[in-house]
């Protein structure tokens, strides 16, 4: 609306508030709205300070983060079995996918798992989640034990090549997602097609990731609940929030299962 303005000194609060109001009318997700505002506020803030001006974006109130959440859809047991087989085609990323499916750990926690946190003798992994700072105590299930026992102890990290991507100065973490897509394709699962199942009436900066590494966590929770593991126990492993999301949005046990429990 103000294409003739080419000098920051002519940009005022009225204009920026009008722009912010239009974003809200266009239906952008709260997080997306905040990303736009925060980015422009930071950029203009530096310039405004140098020129002795008031930051025109500084008075815009951030939006509520409530909105349509893209919950990660769990994989079915049949899909998990296919993914296990496909993981054998990638000896770098395949093992951490199996780790995620067997523990519900986040991508970073899987990638940066250290041998000091793995107790094969007692059959447990004890780590502190990087994102939540929660302590997790997870049993080493049979499939995961097979993976861990094959890993060479070549340093402090269980998966040194993946840990190198996370510890690098450049952001290489998306490399895991690209290889995950290939593994899922081998398993007969189309990553992008599955993501397209999530249709949001709210605009986003990027397409929601339904089938990424976080989907392994909801899958772990679903299978654990199906196997009869108490909800309280599952919450201790992965935290309350994820379990509540699965129970609310995905967990639909058959009547026979409910009767047996």
């Amino acid at each position: 609306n103000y294409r003739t303005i080419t000098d920051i000194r002519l940009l005022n609060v009225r204009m920026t508030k009008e722009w912010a109001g239009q974003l809200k009318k266009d239906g952008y997700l709260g997080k997306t709205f905040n990303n736009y505002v925060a980015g422009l506020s930071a950029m203009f803030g530096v310039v405004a300070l140098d020129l002795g001006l008031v930051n025109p974006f500084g008075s815009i109130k951030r939006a509520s983060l409530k909105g349509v959440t893209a919950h990660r859809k769990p994989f079915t047991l049949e899909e998990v079995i296919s993914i296990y087989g496909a993981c054998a085609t990638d000896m770098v990323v395949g093992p951490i996918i199996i780790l995620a499916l067997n523990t519900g750990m986040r991508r970073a926690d899987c990638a940066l798992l250290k041998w000091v946190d793995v107790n094969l003798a007692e059959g447990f992994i004890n780590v502190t989640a990087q994102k939540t700072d929660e302590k997790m105590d997870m049993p080493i299930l049979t499939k995961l034990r097979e993976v861990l026992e094959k890993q060479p102890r070549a340093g402090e990290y269980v998966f040194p090549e993946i840990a190198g991507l996370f510890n690098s100065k450049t952001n290489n973490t998306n490399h895991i997602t690209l290889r995950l897509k290939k593994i899922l394709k081998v398993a007969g699962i189309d990553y992008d097609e599955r993501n397209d199942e999530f249709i949001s009436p709210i605009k986003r900066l990027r397409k929601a990731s339904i089938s990424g590494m976080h989907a392994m966590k909801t899958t772990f929770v679903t299978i654990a609940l199906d196997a009869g593991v108490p909800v309280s126990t599952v919450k201790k492993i992965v935290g309350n929030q994820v379990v509540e999301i699965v129970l609310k949005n995905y967990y639909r046990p058959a009547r026979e299962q409910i009767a047996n429990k």
Side-chain angles (χ1 to χ4, degrees), residues 30-84:
K31 184 178 179 181
T32 302
F33 175 86
N34 291 345
N35 284 341
Y36 277 130
V37 174
L40 287 169
S41 180
M43 181 176 69
F44 276 81
V46 174
V47 180
L49 183 64
D50 290 340
L51 296 175
L53 304 173
V54 174
N55 181 358
F57 292 91
S59 61
I60 297 176
K61 186 179 179 181
R62 300 299 193 267
S64 168
L65 293 180
K66 292 181 180 180
V68 179
T69 304
H71 300 304
R72 274 62 174 189
K73 182 180 178 181
F75 293 102
T76 65
L77 185 57
E78 292 73 20
E79 288 174 328
V80 170
I81 294 172
S82 297
I83 292 171
Y84 276 161

Side-chain angles (χ1 to χ4, degrees), residues 99 103 113 117-118 124-127 136-138 140 144 148:
L99 172 62
T103 63
L113 180 65
D117 297 320
V118 178
F124 277 88
I125 293 176
N126 310 98
V127 294
M136 298 184 290
D137 193 23
M138 297 154 293
I140 297 175
L144 176 56
L148 294 175

Side-chain angles (χ1 to χ4, degrees), residues 73 143 175:
K73 182 180 178 181
K143 188 68 178 179
H175 180 70

Side-chain angles (χ1 to χ4, degrees), residues 96-97 99-100 103-114 117 125 127-133 136 138 157-167 171-174 176-177 212-217:
I96 73 164
I97 292 175
L99 172 62
T103 63
M105 290 168 61
R106 290 182 174 84
R107 182 177 66 172
D109 293 324
C110 289
L112 299 175
L113 180 65
K114 297 180 179 180
D117 297 320
I125 293 176
V127 294
T128 299
Q130 292 194 28
K131 185 175 181 178
T132 62
D133 205 34
M136 298 184 290
M138 297 154 293
Y157 293 106
V158 179
F159 309 105
E161 189 169 342
I162 293 297
L165 295 177
F166 273 75
N167 289 328
N171 183 10
N172 297 306
T173 55
N174 194 48
I176 294 177
T177 301
M213 286 293 290
H214 206 292
M216 310 302 169
K217 181 185 287 288

Side-chain angles (χ1 to χ4, degrees), residues 1-23 40 44 56-57 59-60:
N1 293 338
Y2 301 100
R3 295 179 183 179
T4 57
I5 294 181
T6 58
D7 190 320
I8 188 176
R9 290 170 293 186
L10 299 177
L11 186 63
N12 59 45
V13 173
R14 178 184 60 80
M15 295 174 183
T16 56
K17 283 189 174 182
E18 184 179 308
W19 164 78
Q22 188 61 50
L23 280 185
L40 287 169
F44 276 81
F57 292 91
S59 61
I60 297 176

